[in-house]
Amino acid sequence: MNKNRVVDIITECVANNQLMSLTYKRERDKKQITRMVEPYEVKEVEGYWYLYAHDTTGGYKKGQGRTRTTKSFILENIVSVRNVNRDFIPRYQTL
């Protein structure tokens, strides 16, 4: 997916509080993972652009089971996004 299109969809979902599905390349093993997220903010930190979002899909941590939490995703590692056209009520406020 074209990176400009990825950013356009993310921006639209953030502005309208809409859930999105994203597929990204995980840093540690380069495996592609798909998550359903509530996107909150796109922000540049020390030269890298990040998407901050609440991961409604969650992952697994040994001894903790499924974890649903706010996570950061490096924009350049996002492979594709899709607006699922479902609104959400923000859990957090961004600055």
Side-chain angles (χ1 to χ4, degrees):
M1 177 176 256
N2 176 295
K3 289 296 179 183
N4 289 332
R5 184 71 184 129
V6 166
V7 172
D8 289 346
I9 293 170
I10 291 171
T11 302
E12 174 187 328
C13 290
V14 168
N16 296 309
N17 293 331
Q18 292 190 311
L19 283 171
M20 64 182 215
S21 173
L22 70 79
T23 300
Y24 71 98
K25 188 171 47 184
R26 196 163 56 188
E27 274 294 306
R28 70 176 178 260
D29 59 9
K30 306 304 181 201
K31 183 178 177 183
Q32 287 192 8
I33 306 293
T34 299
R35 296 280 189 239
M36 184 71 65
V37 301
E38 299 171 354
Y40 289 107
E41 183 177 33
V42 175
K43 187 174 182 178
E44 188 249 340
V45 178
E46 297 181 9
Y48 292 95
W49 285 93
Y50 293 88
L51 165 65
Y52 293 91
H54 182 81
D55 182 358
T56 65
T57 312
Y60 289 96
K61 284 193 176 179
K62 191 174 183 177
Q64 295 180 16
R66 186 172 284 282
T67 59
R68 293 179 177 96
T69 187
T70 300
K71 297 179 179 176
S72 60
F73 300 91
I74 299 171
L75 251 60
E76 73 178 38
N77 291 345
I78 295 175
V79 176
S80 65
V81 294
R82 181 176 56 87
N83 182 338
V84 297
N85 294 309
R86 204 166 77 206
D87 296 341
F88 69 89
I89 297 171
R91 299 165 195 262
Y92 312 102
Q93 288 194 337
T94 58
L95 299 175

